[in-house]
């Protein structure tokens, strides 16, 4: 089946993924990864960049060599620490290591110049204190808190529902914690660019989540005026209707970042792009998943605690006279001999094209 036909089937209800009905499974998986990420924060030390831990930095300019091994050999003679070596452009190499004394710094400059075949004046050395990185981290945490508070207020005012705001914030926290957990577990270096990437993916995750919630609101505006679908089923329909759009948005957003990682970092050797692009790739991938499997199901679980929605759900199930257990993952809709979609209501289903308004033919004006 083509992407168009799949999207049309999901939108009209001929095919439906029972995402909300299986929310306990998604919550269990999300909680597992969040707890694993939190545990890694206490078990393993973070791999902080030089901006956070402080140290010495050397930049070799105008070199024709791009190999990193000469820098490793030079640093190993004066220090036991493993330096971080990266390419800056086509003719520069940057070496970061722990803080070195004045004599060791001069020796490293001279040996780096010899190793890369440049004049000693082409090798610059600087000392970076840890206070700068800590100040950046404190400002990032402050910005994140202000961002979440402001977004909560905006979402509650726009959707007139605190459950949707909690669902969106829950998805944001999931993406933030698990992304950091990936960095902790894999030992990836945390730099100011990583912090900037984390703040960037929060906005991206929120955009995809709002698209889903906007459709949920549209489907549940007149919830109590109909007695065929419950709130959870209407929300599940909204997720299915926006599923292809969410996937397309995620793919078009991830592909450029993946191109930066593959072409810019791995092929061209622009290591300075690695921190920002890697955290954005991991975060955007997680946000695409959380907007579907965490945000909306969490909002539904909280909304069903409302007495009004609970009473409506019981009324719908009583009229239907069916077991309210969730259906399998996919539901195929039957067709009538006339070709119209069946109007039978099932969990995760929809009346399809038969429920859509008919376009009236315009009368031609007589001349």
């Amino acid at each position: 089946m083509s992407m168009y036909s799949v999207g049309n089937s999901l939108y009209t209800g001929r095919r439906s993924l029972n995402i909300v009905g299986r929310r306990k499974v998604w919550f269990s998986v999300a909680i597992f990864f969040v707890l694993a990420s939190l545990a890694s924060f206490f078990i393993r030390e973070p791999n902080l960049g030089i901006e956070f831990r402080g140290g010495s930095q050397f930049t070799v300019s105008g070199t024709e060599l791009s190999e990193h091994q000469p820098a490793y050999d030079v640093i190993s003679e004066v220090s036991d620490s493993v330096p971080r070596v990266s390419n800056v452009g086509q003719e520069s190499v940057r070496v970061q290591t722990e803080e070195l004394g004045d004599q060791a710094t001069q020796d490293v400059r001279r040996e780096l110049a010899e190793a890369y075949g440049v004049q000693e004046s082409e090798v610059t050395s600087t000392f970076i204190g840890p206070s700068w990185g800590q100040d950046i981290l404190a400002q990032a945490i402050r910005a994140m808190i202000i961002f979440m508070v402001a977004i909560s207020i905006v979402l509650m005012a726009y959707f007139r529902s605190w459950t949707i705001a909690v669902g969106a914030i829950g998805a944001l926290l999931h993406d933030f914690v698990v992304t950091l957990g990936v960095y902790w577990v894999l030992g990836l270096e945390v730099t100011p660019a990583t912090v900037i990437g984390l703040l960037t993916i929060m906005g991206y995750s929120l955009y995809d989540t709002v698209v889903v919630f906007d459709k949920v609101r549209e489907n549940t505006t007149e919830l109590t005026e109909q007695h065929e679908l419950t709130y959870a089923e209407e929300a599940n329909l909204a997720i299915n209707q926006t599923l292809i759009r969410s996937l397309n948005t995620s793919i078009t957003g991830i592909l450029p970042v993946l191109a930066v990682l593959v072409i810019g970092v791995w092929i061209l050797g622009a290591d300075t792009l690695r921190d920002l692009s890697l955290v954005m790739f991991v975060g955007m991938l997680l946000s695409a998943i959380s907007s579907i499997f965490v945000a909306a199901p969490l909002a539904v679980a909280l909304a069903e605690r409302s007495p009004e929605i609970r009473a409506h759900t019981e009324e719908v199930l009583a009229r239907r006279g069916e077991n309210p257990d969730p259906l399998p993952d996919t539901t195929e809709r039957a067709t009538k001999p006339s070709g119209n979609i069946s109007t039978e209501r099932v969990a995760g289903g929809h009346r399809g094209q038969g429920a859509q308004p008919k376009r009236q033919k315009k009368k031609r004006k007589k001349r």
Side-chain angles (χ1 to χ4, degrees):
M1 298 180 65
S2 65
M3 185 65 69
Y4 171 80
S5 61
V6 172
N8 185 67
S9 298
L10 291 173
Y11 192 89
T12 58
R14 287 196 300 267
R15 176 171 299 181
S16 180
L17 301 177
N18 193 21
I19 296 174
V20 173
R22 297 177 62 86
R23 58 182 177 269
K24 291 183 179 180
V25 177
W26 319 133
F27 291 164
S28 300
V29 174
I31 292 174
F32 170 78
F33 281 106
V34 169
L35 293 179
S37 300
L38 293 175
S40 67
F41 298 159
F42 299 97
I43 296 175
R44 185 170 184 173
E45 291 291 331
N47 183 16
L48 298 177
I50 190 175
E51 295 85 359
F52 294 108
R53 52 183 170 82
S56 299
Q57 176 174 292
F58 302 88
T59 303
V60 182
S61 304
T63 179
E64 297 180 356
L65 297 177
S66 60
E67 289 80 6
H68 296 174
Q69 190 58 43
Y72 289 117
D73 296 337
V74 170
I75 298 299
S76 63
E77 296 179 1
V78 297
S79 175
D80 295 332
S81 65
V82 178
R84 183 189 180 190
V85 185
S86 58
N87 296 96
V88 183
Q90 298 293 328
E91 299 179 348
S92 298
V93 176
R94 185 177 63 189
V95 183
Q96 296 177 338
T97 183
E98 64 180 10
E99 182 181 356
L100 302 176
D102 293 338
Q103 185 59 44
T105 299
Q106 295 301 324
D107 294 340
V108 169
R109 286 188 59 194
R110 183 175 59 255
E111 294 180 12
L112 284 175
E114 295 178 358
Y116 284 95
V118 297
Q119 298 293 327
E120 188 173 345
S121 59
E122 298 294 330
V123 182
T124 59
S125 62
T126 56
F127 170 73
I128 300 177
S131 59
W132 183 81
Q134 294 174 359
D135 183 59
I136 291 295
L137 181 61
Q139 293 182 14
I141 294 175
R142 189 182 307 114
M144 184 185 67
I145 295 175
I146 296 174
F147 175 82
M148 288 191 173
V149 172
I151 287 301
S152 300
I153 296 174
V154 171
L155 289 177
M156 285 189 290
Y158 180 71
F159 290 106
R160 296 183 178 87
S161 173
W162 66 271
T163 60
I164 288 181
V166 173
I169 297 301
L172 285 177
L173 291 176
H174 167 271
D175 300 338
F176 182 80
V177 173
V178 177
T179 302
L180 276 181
V182 171
Y183 266 70
W184 248 258
V185 172
L186 298 181
L188 302 176
E189 191 173 34
V190 180
T191 65
T194 306
V195 177
I196 294 172
L198 285 172
L199 296 177
T200 303
I201 63 174
M202 290 176 66
Y204 179 87
S205 175
L206 185 66
Y207 166 77
D208 204 20
T209 301
V210 168
V211 170
V212 178
F213 280 144
D214 199 49
K215 193 62 179 178
V216 172
R217 183 185 63 170
E218 179 183 339
N219 288 0
T220 58
T221 300
E222 300 177 353
L223 177 70
T224 57
E225 297 180 9
Q226 56 86 28
H227 304 284
E228 296 176 335
L229 284 180
T230 65
Y231 182 86
E233 292 166 352
E234 291 281 17
N236 190 79
L237 175 61
I239 297 175
N240 280 270
Q241 290 175 326
T242 58
L243 182 60
I244 297 300
R245 177 177 178 179
S246 297
L247 292 177
N248 289 336
T249 302
S250 301
I251 292 174
T252 54
I254 290 175
L255 283 179
V257 179
L258 186 61
V260 172
L261 275 174
V262 175
I263 300 176
V265 179
W266 292 345
I267 297 179
L268 299 180
D271 295 337
T272 52
L273 300 174
R274 178 179 54 193
D275 298 331
L276 181 61
S277 58
L278 183 59
V279 69
M280 289 188 64
F281 176 78
V282 175
M284 290 171 68
L285 187 63
L286 287 173
S287 64
I289 298 174
S290 65
S291 62
I292 298 172
F293 296 99
V294 176
L298 178 59
V300 171
L302 295 174
E304 286 185 333
R305 297 177 177 271
S306 169
E308 182 180 3
I309 294 179
R310 189 186 304 117
H312 178 266
T313 301
E314 293 175 353
E315 182 181 359
V316 171
L317 296 178
R319 290 194 177 196
R320 187 181 301 165
E322 297 178 354
N323 191 338
D325 290 339
L327 293 181
D329 289 343
T330 59
T331 303
E332 293 287 351
R333 309 300 295 133
T335 58
K336 293 182 178 180
S338 61
N340 295 329
I341 303 303
S342 172
T343 58
E344 179 188 1
R345 293 288 196 163
V346 295
H350 184 46
R351 287 182 297 177
Q353 294 178 352
Q356 306 304 317
K358 304 297 182 182
R359 178 178 295 180
Q360 297 180 355
K361 296 182 180 180
K362 296 182 179 180
K363 295 182 180 180
R364 296 183 178 178
K365 296 182 179 179
K366 296 181 179 181
R367 294 182 178 178

